[in-house]
Amino acid sequence: MTRLALVMIARDEARSIARCLESVRPHVDRMIVVDTGSTDDTRDIAFRLGAEVHDFAWRDDFSVARNAALDRSDADWNLVLDADEWLAGGIDALAPAVLPPVAVQPPRFVGCIRILNESGSGEPTRRFLPRILPRGVRYAGRIHEHPISDLPFVPLALEVGHDGYVEAQLARKSGRNLLLLERSLQDDPGDTYLWYQLGRERLVRGDPAGAAEALRTAYRGVGPDAAYRHAIVLSAIQALKQAERFEEALALVDAEQFAWPDSPDFYFAVAGLYLDWAGRNPEIALDQLLPVAEGAWLRCLAIGEQPNLDGSVPGCGSYLAAGNLAILYQGLGIADKAGEFAALEQALRAAA
């Protein structure tokens, strides 16, 4: 029996699959790649790097493809990655002490790992997704599929980079995700997670008005304890701001202001919203709006980094907030404070 296997579905991923497999190969016992119709060198690259390569006809359903790949594995644990991802840190989470063979200790959890989504501009966004599955766990859902299990979902230290949201990759997959999300919502219009994902998809594709509608639907339906509520709130603020629906964004901030006392990302979003609002209302900017932005960035620094929040961005509780305060004070002509926070930004970046 195999203790740990990489299980992947891929199609036309010659650009990135070697990076993924090379990052994983030292840490797993098997690498299983199920190809869903590549016309490039994906299959040959995977084979040369030691992966078992199998073919599977794409059926417009990610869970069907992932389950077909999992059916190929006899491992106690399966690490599920995409070809545009790679291991970036926390490798000890794959050790036998954390993921013991089932002959030693039966699985007691599904492992959630931190995905760092790079966009090509700015800092990556953190997401926590269940990607380390005990033998027998399978997926459901046409897109943004999720494992079905009664076991607890436990966060592990493993970090994975992902560059599928950079502009070139978004263009390559244009339309596919939107179509699958819309089909899924036709089947289950009450699924708030799908509405959230539809909003994110529209937002990264430059449709803030459409994103705002989807994210407001997600927000109205999401439970107070849902793991992704934090990410919904942040995305909704961003979409409403970009759509220039400032009154709605401000109302959302007011409704959520007591829910996130330990989220620097929430206060960072508040500061950005008030800064944009100040630019459109210069008559009240200095006395009413810029002090709110200043206070929000200071609150970010007081809270500090909170990397375990889903949807969070590195730096919101440290160097990004300090840098924005330096720019704000410079613009206000407060040179000593501008210098103080510029120095703090440099120190925090160096420590990150």
Side-chain angles (χ1 to χ4, degrees):
M1 302 298 293
T2 307
R3 186 185 71 86
L4 176 62
L6 169 72
V7 177
M8 175 192 297
I9 62 173
R11 180 175 181 174
D12 291 337
E13 295 287 359
R15 174 193 71 91
S16 60
I17 193 169
R19 176 186 59 188
C20 179
L21 296 178
E22 287 170 347
S23 75
V24 173
R25 183 167 52 179
H27 310 289
V28 299
D29 304 303
R30 293 178 66 189
M31 298 192 299
I32 300 168
V33 173
V34 167
D35 187 271
T36 61
S38 293
T39 58
D40 64 6
D41 292 333
T42 296
R43 301 176 82 265
D44 291 339
I45 294 169
F47 183 77
R48 287 199 304 267
L49 290 173
E52 306 166 26
V53 182
H54 307 274
D55 293 323
F56 183 80
W58 177 245
R59 302 178 189 174
D60 282 340
D61 190 314
F62 278 93
S63 66
V64 169
R66 291 210 192 275
N67 290 339
L70 286 166
D71 288 343
R72 298 279 185 175
S73 173
D74 66 346
D76 296 332
W77 297 90
N78 295 296
L79 171 63
V80 179
L81 295 181
D82 291 328
D84 56 6
E85 298 173 337
W86 65 95
L87 298 190
I91 306 299
D92 288 347
L94 300 179
V98 180
L99 307 176
V102 295
V104 177
Q105 180 178 315
R108 295 180 297 174
F109 63 86
V110 171
C112 297
I113 65 177
R114 182 180 298 159
I115 310 289
L116 302 176
N117 288 316
E118 298 181 0
S119 64
S121 60
E123 303 293 333
T125 301
R126 303 180 183 103
R127 295 294 317 286
F128 289 87
L129 296 175
R131 294 288 198 85
I132 298 180
L133 312 183
R135 186 195 308 149
V137 174
R138 293 295 185 266
Y139 280 93
R142 181 181 284 116
I143 187 171
H144 295 292
E145 61 284 0
H146 52 278
I148 302 300
S149 177
D150 293 330
L151 294 169
F153 285 45
V154 175
L156 302 177
L158 191 67
E159 288 190 349
V160 169
H162 172 236
D163 65 1
Y165 288 136
V166 299
E167 187 172 351
Q169 303 314 309
L170 286 173
R172 187 171 68 87
K173 301 174 183 178
S174 178
R176 183 200 66 186
N177 286 5
L178 284 173
L179 177 62
L180 293 179
L181 282 165
E182 288 164 356
R183 287 181 180 174
S184 297
L185 283 167
Q186 289 175 359
D187 296 338
D188 190 359
D191 191 323
T192 57
Y193 186 71
L194 289 176
W195 281 110
Y196 160 58
Q197 292 294 350
L198 179 62
R200 289 182 68 242
E201 190 73 23
R202 288 175 173 172
L203 191 59
V204 299
R205 295 187 182 279
D207 179 16
E213 290 304 315
L215 289 163
R216 284 183 65 82
T217 301
Y219 176 72
R220 287 193 293 267
V222 71
D225 298 323
Y228 55 96
R229 181 185 177 90
H230 180 257
I232 288 178
V233 171
L234 297 179
S235 297
I237 294 171
Q238 182 182 4
L240 290 167
K241 181 180 74 170
Q242 290 185 18
E244 299 189 359
R245 292 162 59 173
F246 289 98
E247 290 85 356
E248 293 175 71
L250 292 166
L252 177 58
V253 164
D254 288 343
E256 291 289 321
Q257 62 179 321
F258 298 113
W260 309 107
D262 299 318
S263 170
D265 298 83
F266 175 76
Y267 287 97
F268 198 90
V270 170
L273 176 62
Y274 272 84
L275 186 66
D276 277 21
W277 191 232
R280 288 159 175 77
N281 296 273
E283 70 281 2
I284 60 171
L286 191 60
D287 294 332
Q288 298 182 36
L289 303 180
L290 290 180
V292 177
E294 175 193 23
W297 280 320
L298 289 170
R299 180 67 180 271
C300 292
L301 291 173
I303 296 171
E305 290 288 287
Q306 299 295 323
N308 291 328
L309 283 173
D310 189 51
S312 64
V313 173
C316 284
S318 58
Y319 53 86
L320 292 179
N324 283 351
L325 283 165
I327 294 170
L328 175 66
Y329 292 133
Q330 186 68 41
L332 294 174
I334 309 174
D336 56 339
K337 281 196 169 184
E340 173 189 345
F341 282 95
L344 179 60
E345 177 192 11
Q346 292 182 359
L348 291 171
R349 281 189 182 275

